[in-house]
PDB file of all heavy atoms in Angstrom:
ATOM      1  N   ALA A  14     106.787 105.101 108.985  1.00  0.00           N
ATOM      2  CA  ALA A  14     105.794 104.174 109.544  1.00  0.00           C
ATOM      3  C   ALA A  14     105.024 103.548 108.444  1.00  0.00           C
ATOM      4  O   ALA A  14     104.497 102.388 108.598  1.00  0.00           O
ATOM      5  CB  ALA A  14     104.846 104.934 110.478  1.00  0.00           C
ATOM      6  N   LYS A  15     104.946 104.114 107.308  1.00  0.00           N
ATOM      7  CA  LYS A  15     104.237 103.603 106.129  1.00  0.00           C
ATOM      8  C   LYS A  15     105.154 103.055 105.040  1.00  0.00           C
ATOM      9  O   LYS A  15     104.660 102.591 103.953  1.00  0.00           O
ATOM     10  CB  LYS A  15     103.269 104.642 105.563  1.00  0.00           C
ATOM     11  CG  LYS A  15     102.205 105.118 106.517  1.00  0.00           C
ATOM     12  CD  LYS A  15     101.281 106.124 105.824  1.00  0.00           C
ATOM     13  CE  LYS A  15     100.123 106.532 106.771  1.00  0.00           C
ATOM     14  NZ  LYS A  15      99.204 107.538 106.169  1.00  0.00           N
ATOM     15  N   ASN A  16     106.424 103.145 105.301  1.00  0.00           N
ATOM     16  CA  ASN A  16     107.403 102.703 104.212  1.00  0.00           C
ATOM     17  C   ASN A  16     107.147 103.376 102.850  1.00  0.00           C
ATOM     18  O   ASN A  16     107.138 102.721 101.799  1.00  0.00           O
ATOM     19  CB  ASN A  16     107.387 101.167 104.056  1.00  0.00           C
ATOM     20  CG  ASN A  16     108.079 100.413 105.156  1.00  0.00           C
ATOM     21  OD1 ASN A  16     108.476 101.083 106.206  1.00  0.00           O
ATOM     22  ND2 ASN A  16     108.251  99.156 105.061  1.00  0.00           N
ATOM     23  N   THR A  17     106.859 104.706 102.932  1.00  0.00           N
ATOM     24  CA  THR A  17     106.431 105.326 101.773  1.00  0.00           C
ATOM     25  C   THR A  17     107.188 106.638 101.627  1.00  0.00           C
ATOM     26  O   THR A  17     107.440 107.408 102.637  1.00  0.00           O
ATOM     27  CB  THR A  17     104.925 105.617 101.815  1.00  0.00           C
ATOM     28  OG1 THR A  17     104.192 104.473 101.842  1.00  0.00           O
ATOM     29  CG2 THR A  17     104.515 106.405 100.525  1.00  0.00           C
ATOM     30  N   VAL A  18     107.597 107.005 100.378  1.00  0.00           N
ATOM     31  CA  VAL A  18     108.257 108.232 100.078  1.00  0.00           C
ATOM     32  C   VAL A  18     107.219 108.924  99.072  1.00  0.00           C
ATOM     33  O   VAL A  18     106.635 108.353  98.258  1.00  0.00           O
ATOM     34  CB  VAL A  18     109.604 108.008  99.449  1.00  0.00           C
ATOM     35  CG1 VAL A  18     109.570 107.242  98.130  1.00  0.00           C
ATOM     36  CG2 VAL A  18     110.320 109.390  99.242  1.00  0.00           C
ATOM     37  N   TYR A  19     107.235 110.301  99.288  1.00  0.00           N
ATOM     38  CA  TYR A  19     106.273 111.103  98.459  1.00  0.00           C
ATOM     39  C   TYR A  19     107.119 112.187  97.669  1.00  0.00           C
ATOM     40  O   TYR A  19     108.247 112.557  98.048  1.00  0.00           O
ATOM     41  CB  TYR A  19     105.389 111.835  99.398  1.00  0.00           C
ATOM     42  CG  TYR A  19     104.566 110.954 100.240  1.00  0.00           C
ATOM     43  CD1 TYR A  19     104.942 110.739 101.647  1.00  0.00           C
ATOM     44  CD2 TYR A  19     103.380 110.303  99.815  1.00  0.00           C
ATOM     45  CE1 TYR A  19     104.265 109.902 102.450  1.00  0.00           C
ATOM     46  CE2 TYR A  19     102.638 109.458 100.652  1.00  0.00           C
ATOM     47  CZ  TYR A  19     103.051 109.274 102.018  1.00  0.00           C
ATOM     48  OH  TYR A  19     102.413 108.442 102.821  1.00  0.00           O
ATOM     49  N   LEU A  20     106.444 112.623  96.598  1.00  0.00           N
ATOM     50  CA  LEU A  20     106.966 113.728  95.832  1.00  0.00           C
ATOM     51  C   LEU A  20     105.793 114.640  95.572  1.00  0.00           C
ATOM     52  O   LEU A  20     104.948 114.379  94.789  1.00  0.00           O
ATOM     53  CB  LEU A  20     107.652 113.302  94.563  1.00  0.00           C
ATOM     54  CG  LEU A  20     108.374 114.436  93.709  1.00  0.00           C
ATOM     55  CD1 LEU A  20     109.629 114.960  94.528  1.00  0.00           C
ATOM     56  CD2 LEU A  20     108.800 113.927  92.446  1.00  0.00           C
ATOM     57  N   GLN A  21     105.828 115.786  96.270  1.00  0.00           N
ATOM     58  CA  GLN A  21     104.807 116.822  96.024  1.00  0.00           C
ATOM     59  C   GLN A  21     105.263 117.721  94.945  1.00  0.00           C
ATOM     60  O   GLN A  21     106.342 118.320  95.116  1.00  0.00           O
ATOM     61  CB  GLN A  21     104.502 117.631  97.317  1.00  0.00           C
ATOM     62  CG  GLN A  21     103.514 118.744  97.118  1.00  0.00           C
ATOM     63  CD  GLN A  21     102.111 118.274  96.872  1.00  0.00           C
ATOM     64  OE1 GLN A  21     101.628 117.301  97.536  1.00  0.00           O
ATOM     65  NE2 GLN A  21     101.457 118.850  95.928  1.00  0.00           N
ATOM     66  N   MET A  22     104.519 117.822  93.881  1.00  0.00           N
ATOM     67  CA  MET A  22     104.933 118.601  92.692  1.00  0.00           C
ATOM     68  C   MET A  22     103.930 119.738  92.508  1.00  0.00           C
ATOM     69  O   MET A  22     102.724 119.486  92.219  1.00  0.00           O
ATOM     70  CB  MET A  22     104.976 117.710  91.455  1.00  0.00           C
ATOM     71  CG  MET A  22     105.878 116.435  91.692  1.00  0.00           C
ATOM     72  SD  MET A  22     106.070 115.521  90.162  1.00  0.00           S
ATOM     73  CE  MET A  22     104.390 114.991  89.879  1.00  0.00           C
ATOM     74  N   ASN A  23     104.395 121.002  92.709  1.00  0.00           N
ATOM     75  CA  ASN A  23     103.611 122.198  92.448  1.00  0.00           C
ATOM     76  C   ASN A  23     104.100 122.938  91.295  1.00  0.00           C
ATOM     77  O   ASN A  23     105.201 122.721  90.815  1.00  0.00           O
ATOM     78  CB  ASN A  23     103.621 122.976  93.720  1.00  0.00           C
ATOM     79  CG  ASN A  23     103.101 122.306  94.988  1.00  0.00           C
ATOM     80  OD1 ASN A  23     102.130 121.474  94.857  1.00  0.00           O
ATOM     81  ND2 ASN A  23     103.610 122.598  96.154  1.00  0.00           N
ATOM     82  N   SER A  24     103.278 123.840  90.835  1.00  0.00           N
ATOM     83  CA  SER A  24     103.610 124.731  89.684  1.00  0.00           C
ATOM     84  C   SER A  24     104.145 123.957  88.498  1.00  0.00           C
ATOM     85  O   SER A  24     105.156 124.267  87.962  1.00  0.00           O
ATOM     86  CB  SER A  24     104.651 125.787  90.206  1.00  0.00           C
ATOM     87  OG  SER A  24     104.130 126.531  91.263  1.00  0.00           O
ATOM     88  N   LEU A  25     103.507 122.911  88.205  1.00  0.00           N
ATOM     89  CA  LEU A  25     103.966 121.966  87.161  1.00  0.00           C
ATOM     90  C   LEU A  25     104.064 122.663  85.816  1.00  0.00           C
ATOM     91  O   LEU A  25     103.236 123.563  85.503  1.00  0.00           O
ATOM     92  CB  LEU A  25     103.123 120.732  87.104  1.00  0.00           C
ATOM     93  CG  LEU A  25     103.387 119.724  88.219  1.00  0.00           C
ATOM     94  CD1 LEU A  25     102.208 118.771  88.306  1.00  0.00           C
ATOM     95  CD2 LEU A  25     104.640 118.950  87.900  1.00  0.00           C
ATOM     96  N   LYS A  26     105.102 122.259  85.033  1.00  0.00           N
ATOM     97  CA  LYS A  26     105.313 122.828  83.733  1.00  0.00           C
ATOM     98  C   LYS A  26     105.324 121.730  82.674  1.00  0.00           C
ATOM     99  O   LYS A  26     105.546 120.594  83.075  1.00  0.00           O
ATOM    100  CB  LYS A  26     106.715 123.515  83.692  1.00  0.00           C
ATOM    101  CG  LYS A  26     106.948 124.576  84.744  1.00  0.00           C
ATOM    102  CD  LYS A  26     108.412 124.997  84.715  1.00  0.00           C
ATOM    103  CE  LYS A  26     108.690 126.086  85.748  1.00  0.00           C
ATOM    104  NZ  LYS A  26     110.061 126.569  85.745  1.00  0.00           N
ATOM    105  N   PRO A  27     104.998 122.061  81.447  1.00  0.00           N
ATOM    106  CA  PRO A  27     105.012 121.031  80.419  1.00  0.00           C
ATOM    107  C   PRO A  27     106.331 120.247  80.359  1.00  0.00           C
ATOM    108  O   PRO A  27     106.339 119.014  80.079  1.00  0.00           O
ATOM    109  CB  PRO A  27     104.821 121.817  79.154  1.00  0.00           C
ATOM    110  CG  PRO A  27     103.966 122.983  79.590  1.00  0.00           C
ATOM    111  CD  PRO A  27     104.564 123.359  80.924  1.00  0.00           C
ATOM    112  N   GLU A  28     107.470 120.899  80.677  1.00  0.00           N
ATOM    113  CA  GLU A  28     108.742 120.179  80.624  1.00  0.00           C
ATOM    114  C   GLU A  28     108.858 119.211  81.831  1.00  0.00           C
ATOM    115  O   GLU A  28     109.941 118.468  81.879  1.00  0.00           O
ATOM    116  CB  GLU A  28     109.935 121.179  80.650  1.00  0.00           C
ATOM    117  CG  GLU A  28     109.846 122.298  81.657  1.00  0.00           C
ATOM    118  CD  GLU A  28     109.197 123.589  81.206  1.00  0.00           C
ATOM    119  OE1 GLU A  28     108.229 123.547  80.499  1.00  0.00           O
ATOM    120  OE2 GLU A  28     109.804 124.606  81.565  1.00  0.00           O
ATOM    121  N   ASP A  29     107.985 119.193  82.728  1.00  0.00           N
ATOM    122  CA  ASP A  29     108.034 118.191  83.787  1.00  0.00           C
ATOM    123  C   ASP A  29     107.366 116.790  83.338  1.00  0.00           C
ATOM    124  O   ASP A  29     107.427 115.828  84.029  1.00  0.00           O
ATOM    125  CB  ASP A  29     107.240 118.642  85.016  1.00  0.00           C
ATOM    126  CG  ASP A  29     107.869 119.825  85.686  1.00  0.00           C
ATOM    127  OD1 ASP A  29     109.118 119.770  85.839  1.00  0.00           O
ATOM    128  OD2 ASP A  29     107.120 120.808  86.083  1.00  0.00           O
ATOM    129  N   THR A  30     106.813 116.879  82.160  1.00  0.00           N
ATOM    130  CA  THR A  30     106.159 115.649  81.617  1.00  0.00           C
ATOM    131  C   THR A  30     107.237 114.531  81.401  1.00  0.00           C
ATOM    132  O   THR A  30     108.260 114.726  80.812  1.00  0.00           O
ATOM    133  CB  THR A  30     105.529 115.946  80.217  1.00  0.00           C
ATOM    134  OG1 THR A  30     104.451 116.813  80.379  1.00  0.00           O
ATOM    135  CG2 THR A  30     105.052 114.606  79.579  1.00  0.00           C
ATOM    136  N   ALA A  31     106.965 113.376  82.071  1.00  0.00           N
ATOM    137  CA  ALA A  31     107.955 112.265  82.062  1.00  0.00           C
ATOM    138  C   ALA A  31     107.316 111.108  82.790  1.00  0.00           C
ATOM    139  O   ALA A  31     106.256 111.170  83.449  1.00  0.00           O
ATOM    140  CB  ALA A  31     109.203 112.669  82.793  1.00  0.00           C
ATOM    141  N   VAL A  32     107.990 109.947  82.754  1.00  0.00           N
ATOM    142  CA  VAL A  32     107.627 108.891  83.653  1.00  0.00           C
ATOM    143  C   VAL A  32     108.541 109.012  84.856  1.00  0.00           C
ATOM    144  O   VAL A  32     109.730 109.265  84.743  1.00  0.00           O
ATOM    145  CB  VAL A  32     107.921 107.488  82.930  1.00  0.00           C
ATOM    146  CG1 VAL A  32     107.612 106.325  83.998  1.00  0.00           C
ATOM    147  CG2 VAL A  32     107.077 107.326  81.738  1.00  0.00           C
ATOM    148  N   TYR A  33     107.941 108.991  86.082  1.00  0.00           N
ATOM    149  CA  TYR A  33     108.617 109.244  87.283  1.00  0.00           C
ATOM    150  C   TYR A  33     108.851 107.837  87.986  1.00  0.00           C
ATOM    151  O   TYR A  33     107.874 107.092  88.115  1.00  0.00           O
ATOM    152  CB  TYR A  33     107.809 110.135  88.165  1.00  0.00           C
ATOM    153  CG  TYR A  33     107.943 111.556  87.761  1.00  0.00           C
ATOM    154  CD1 TYR A  33     107.329 112.022  86.557  1.00  0.00           C
ATOM    155  CD2 TYR A  33     108.684 112.525  88.520  1.00  0.00           C
ATOM    156  CE1 TYR A  33     107.493 113.391  86.139  1.00  0.00           C
ATOM    157  CE2 TYR A  33     108.845 113.822  88.044  1.00  0.00           C
ATOM    158  CZ  TYR A  33     108.259 114.252  86.911  1.00  0.00           C
ATOM    159  OH  TYR A  33     108.299 115.523  86.466  1.00  0.00           O
ATOM    160  N   TYR A  34     110.024 107.662  88.425  1.00  0.00           N
ATOM    161  CA  TYR A  34     110.471 106.358  88.984  1.00  0.00           C
ATOM    162  C   TYR A  34     110.949 106.612  90.478  1.00  0.00           C
ATOM    163  O   TYR A  34     111.760 107.505  90.689  1.00  0.00           O
ATOM    164  CB  TYR A  34     111.596 105.728  88.229  1.00  0.00           C
ATOM    165  CG  TYR A  34     111.213 105.357  86.782  1.00  0.00           C
ATOM    166  CD1 TYR A  34     111.418 106.258  85.765  1.00  0.00           C
ATOM    167  CD2 TYR A  34     110.644 104.058  86.521  1.00  0.00           C
ATOM    168  CE1 TYR A  34     111.100 105.897  84.467  1.00  0.00           C
ATOM    169  CE2 TYR A  34     110.341 103.750  85.248  1.00  0.00           C
ATOM    170  CZ  TYR A  34     110.563 104.607  84.209  1.00  0.00           C
ATOM    171  OH  TYR A  34     110.261 104.296  82.900  1.00  0.00           O
ATOM    172  N   CYS A  35     110.596 105.707  91.305  1.00  0.00           N
ATOM    173  CA  CYS A  35     111.166 105.620  92.602  1.00  0.00           C
ATOM    174  C   CYS A  35     112.345 104.672  92.582  1.00  0.00           C
ATOM    175  O   CYS A  35     112.367 103.653  91.909  1.00  0.00           O
ATOM    176  CB  CYS A  35     110.062 105.124  93.621  1.00  0.00           C
ATOM    177  SG  CYS A  35     110.520 104.799  95.254  1.00  0.00           S
ATOM    178  N   SER A  36     113.341 104.989  93.426  1.00  0.00           N
ATOM    179  CA  SER A  36     114.488 104.102  93.418  1.00  0.00           C
ATOM    180  C   SER A  36     115.142 103.970  94.825  1.00  0.00           C
ATOM    181  O   SER A  36     115.168 104.918  95.567  1.00  0.00           O
ATOM    182  CB  SER A  36     115.575 104.723  92.433  1.00  0.00           C
ATOM    183  OG  SER A  36     116.762 103.969  92.487  1.00  0.00           O
ATOM    184  N   SER A  37     115.734 102.803  95.101  1.00  0.00           N
ATOM    185  CA  SER A  37     116.458 102.568  96.263  1.00  0.00           C
ATOM    186  C   SER A  37     117.473 101.505  96.014  1.00  0.00           C
ATOM    187  O   SER A  37     117.596 100.996  94.907  1.00  0.00           O
ATOM    188  CB  SER A  37     115.561 102.255  97.428  1.00  0.00           C
ATOM    189  OG  SER A  37     116.262 102.195  98.644  1.00  0.00           O
ATOM    190  N   SER A  38     118.206 101.171  97.047  1.00  0.00           N
ATOM    191  CA  SER A  38     119.224 100.111  96.860  1.00  0.00           C
ATOM    192  C   SER A  38     119.277  99.160  97.994  1.00  0.00           C
ATOM    193  O   SER A  38     118.849  99.490  99.113  1.00  0.00           O
ATOM    194  CB  SER A  38     120.618 100.760  96.696  1.00  0.00           C
ATOM    195  OG  SER A  38     120.924 101.405  97.897  1.00  0.00           O
ATOM    196  N   LYS A  39     119.785  97.951  97.756  1.00  0.00           N
ATOM    197  CA  LYS A  39     119.947  96.929  98.743  1.00  0.00           C
ATOM    198  C   LYS A  39     121.054  96.014  98.296  1.00  0.00           C
ATOM    199  O   LYS A  39     121.109  95.605  97.165  1.00  0.00           O
ATOM    200  CB  LYS A  39     118.642  96.166  98.996  1.00  0.00           C
ATOM    201  CG  LYS A  39     118.785  95.084  99.989  1.00  0.00           C
ATOM    202  CD  LYS A  39     117.422  94.357 100.188  1.00  0.00           C
ATOM    203  CE  LYS A  39     117.464  93.273 101.216  1.00  0.00           C
ATOM    204  NZ  LYS A  39     116.199  92.565 101.356  1.00  0.00           N
TER     205      LYS A  39
END
């Protein structure tokens, strides 16, 4: 309904450090 995707990230670790990208195709 909101055209939105989420990523809930818990128990984060230093190795999760990054730029996070959303992706789709058309």
Side-chain angles (χ1 to χ4, degrees):
K15 295 182 178 180
N16 284 7
T17 300
V18 62
Y19 303 98
L20 187 67
Q21 178 67 45
M22 306 186 295
N23 299 327
S24 301
L25 283 161
K26 304 175 181 180
E28 51 263 44
D29 294 318
T30 295
V32 178
Y33 284 71
Y34 298 91
C35 173
S36 177
S37 188
S38 64
K39 181 180 180 181

